[in-house]
Amino acid sequence: MIMNNIFHLTFALAAAALMSSPVAVTGLHLEPRLRGAVLVAVSDEDDYDNGYQMGQQQATYFWTNKFNSDCNRISSYDTMIGNYIRDNYNYNNYGQQQSNQWYKLKGATEGMQAQQKVYDNQCMSNDDYVDVKDCSAIGHNIASSIAHEYAKNNPSQCGSHFFSLPPPPAYGKFGNNEECITIANDDCIGNMDDKINTYCSSQYTNYNVLSRLKTECYSQVQSAIGQPAIGGMN
């Protein structure tokens, strides 16, 4: 009889302890889930998912309403997405102790980037698309590079007081490489006279040298874009 009473008392105490334990409380950030290598509370996971959806929707809105789904403007779209994330979704401004905002903005960043990649891939698979802005920039920068190198190696004709050449910007997407090479090569040739005037002399009139420098455009354009145009170019 005594043993039976002890058993019932022990059971009652154990049940009371279990019911009073914080682990039994739900809805208060206490139930963990595993996302990859990070242990995330349920509410934090919801914050991340809500942010991810928000970022995707914002990226879609920009692409369809501000850029009219125009692949010829994909570089400008990518720039806008990068700036928007920097200005609005910088989750590094918050510590993980401020978990709600940290997870929401991290989700928004990754959702926006994922949707951006969808549109980038769509444009890159479109053979009719060519990134005119970046292709033209390649031509301008290569003309600068060729003229700068000539001036540096010919101080007797160009003087020794030319300014250094800044590194070219990172190039984005070219789309149809054959068409891109044509655009870049044309702009390199078309800008060579001005670039020689900049790096060498405004009075430079050695047309034989200018003609030779212009022939260097194609191979350097081809190398920068990474794929030769069919049939080459003279």
Side-chain angles (χ1 to χ4, degrees), residues 22-189:
V23 177
V25 181
T26 58
L28 295 177
H29 300 243
L30 297 175
E31 182 185 348
R33 289 185 188 174
L34 191 65
R35 182 197 295 275
V38 181
L39 196 63
V40 182
V42 172
S43 64
D44 291 337
E45 186 176 81
D46 290 342
D47 290 330
Y48 177 92
D49 291 341
N50 290 337
Y52 194 95
Q53 223 174 32
M54 178 178 72
Q56 283 184 310
Q57 291 170 354
Q58 191 66 51
T60 298
Y61 171 79
F62 286 150
W63 180 239
T64 56
N65 290 276
K66 291 187 176 296
F67 291 88
N68 297 318
S69 304
D70 182 1
C71 282
N72 290 311
R73 302 173 66 194
I74 191 69
S75 288
S76 297
Y77 172 73
D78 287 342
T79 299
M80 182 179 185
I81 291 295
N83 291 339
Y84 192 88
I85 288 173
R86 181 197 64 207
D87 296 338
N88 297 278
Y89 294 160
N90 189 354
Y91 56 88
N92 290 319
N93 288 337
Y94 301 86
Q96 280 189 268
Q97 293 81 1
Q98 302 164 284
S99 58
N100 288 2
Q101 196 68 357
W102 192 90
Y103 280 105
K104 181 180 179 181
L105 294 181
K106 182 174 175 59
T109 295
E110 294 180 1
M112 178 167 272
Q113 289 172 334
Q115 195 62 33
Q116 173 193 4
K117 188 173 181 180
V118 169
Y119 299 131
D120 284 346
N121 290 340
Q122 286 176 359
C123 288
M124 289 302 292
S125 64
N126 181 357
D127 288 338
D128 294 330
Y129 156 70
V130 60
D131 192 328
V132 175
K133 181 180 176 182
D134 263 6
C135 296
S136 178
I138 291 170
H140 281 261
N141 289 330
I142 288 176
S144 287
S145 177
I146 292 171
H148 180 271
E149 189 67 17
Y150 177 80
K152 183 173 71 173
N153 293 332
N154 294 273
S156 61
Q157 298 181 56
C158 297
S160 58
H161 300 292
F162 58 90
F163 51 89
S164 61
L165 181 68
Y171 299 125
K173 300 156 185 65
F174 310 135
N176 184 321
N177 283 0
E178 180 181 344
E179 183 64 23
C180 186
I181 288 172
T182 300
I183 292 170
N185 186 70
D186 287 347
D187 281 359
C188 177
I189 291 171

Side-chain angles (χ1 to χ4, degrees), residues 176-182 218-219 221-233:
N176 184 321
N177 283 0
E178 180 181 344
E179 183 64 23
C180 186
I181 288 172
T182 300
Y218 179 69
S219 62
V221 162
Q222 185 179 352
S223 176
I225 295 173
Q227 190 174 343
I230 297 172
M233 188 177 301

